[in-house]
Amino acid sequence: MNESENYMVGDAYKLISINDIKVPQGKLPREVNVSKLVESLERSKVMDNPITIDVKNILVCGIDRLEAAKRLEWKEVPVVYFNGTELEKLLLSLEENLVRKEFSVIEKGEMFLERDRVLLEMGLKTKKGSNQYTIGKSGQKVKTTSELAKELNVTDRSYNQFKQIARD
């Protein structure tokens, strides 16, 4: 995924009405995160990380930030537009959540498994039996488990253990 091609406004953001953002069914905020965000936004009055939406104003990333802004009765929020495939949107959401939020061991393992599944489907992760120099569907070098673990600041062993716990 070449992120610069998918973001329509680059590093800039736009303010839009909270009411214009459509939340996909099943995307639910996590109360522990929303409470912390409400406190932070109440103090700073600034949302450092814009909410990510697609060209149809459907939420891609930022459900907790959106909910916190609603509770504070903000009328507008900063957004960036992401113009990617459904798999790219899912991958972006998974990766943002893995970096920004705290999860139980099982939840983290489930997210690692889902991330691996999405990357495999996109042709961006090595399959069992391939080597580190394999080229994927998109012509990009595919990532190994070691590289994926390193991106999330965990060891290979921990990465695999989280996934095994989620499977069991």
Side-chain angles (χ1 to χ4, degrees):
M1 173 173 57
N2 185 342
E3 291 179 14
S4 62
E5 292 173 5
N6 293 330
Y7 280 102
M8 298 189 64
V9 291
D11 294 331
Y13 62 87
K14 179 180 176 183
L15 287 174
I16 70 166
S17 169
I18 281 180
N19 298 326
D20 290 343
I21 299 173
K22 300 169 195 100
V23 179
Q25 190 173 1
K27 247 192 205 278
L28 302 171
R30 291 172 52 106
E31 185 56 40
V32 66
N33 296 327
V34 174
S35 298
K36 289 177 186 176
L37 283 165
V38 166
E39 286 178 29
S40 173
L41 294 174
E42 217 166 23
R43 270 193 316 274
S44 69
K45 310 282 189 249
V46 175
M47 188 177 290
D48 292 332
N49 299 305
I51 292 166
T52 306
I53 60 176
D54 70 12
V55 293
K56 295 178 183 173
N57 287 359
I58 297 172
L59 182 74
V60 176
C61 301
I63 186 69
D64 295 339
R65 284 169 274 162
L66 180 63
E67 181 61 27
K70 285 179 179 180
R71 290 186 191 177
L72 292 169
E73 298 180 1
W74 288 14
K75 302 292 180 232
E76 296 179 315
V77 290
V79 299
V80 292
Y81 291 91
F82 185 77
N83 187 27
T85 66
E86 291 305 310
L87 280 176
E88 290 170 331
K89 290 176 196 175
L90 177 56
L91 182 61
L92 180 68
S93 179
L94 285 166
E95 291 185 341
E96 181 175 298
N97 285 336
L98 283 166
V99 170
R100 294 185 195 270
K101 297 180 183 176
E102 294 295 319
F103 292 98
S104 71
V105 171
I106 293 171
E107 290 171 320
K108 193 176 272 194
E110 290 169 344
M111 292 182 80
F112 286 178
L113 287 168
E114 180 69 355
R115 181 178 181 236
D116 281 3
R117 184 195 66 75
V118 170
L119 287 168
L120 270 170
E121 193 170 330
M122 292 173 68
L124 297 174
K125 181 184 183 307
T126 54
K127 294 179 183 168
K128 203 169 199 147
S130 58
N131 67 49
Q132 64 182 342
Y133 302 108
T134 303
I135 302 299
K137 294 178 193 173
S138 63
Q140 293 177 294
K141 179 185 168 295
V142 295
K143 295 179 180 180
T144 64
T145 298
S146 294
E147 291 166 327
L148 294 172
K150 189 175 182 179
E151 288 176 358
L152 297 172
N153 294 318
V154 296
T155 64
D156 298 8
R157 184 172 185 221
S158 293
Y159 190 77
N160 287 321
Q161 285 175 332
F162 279 118
K163 293 189 301 184
Q164 187 59 49
I165 290 167
R167 279 188 208 104
D168 291 344

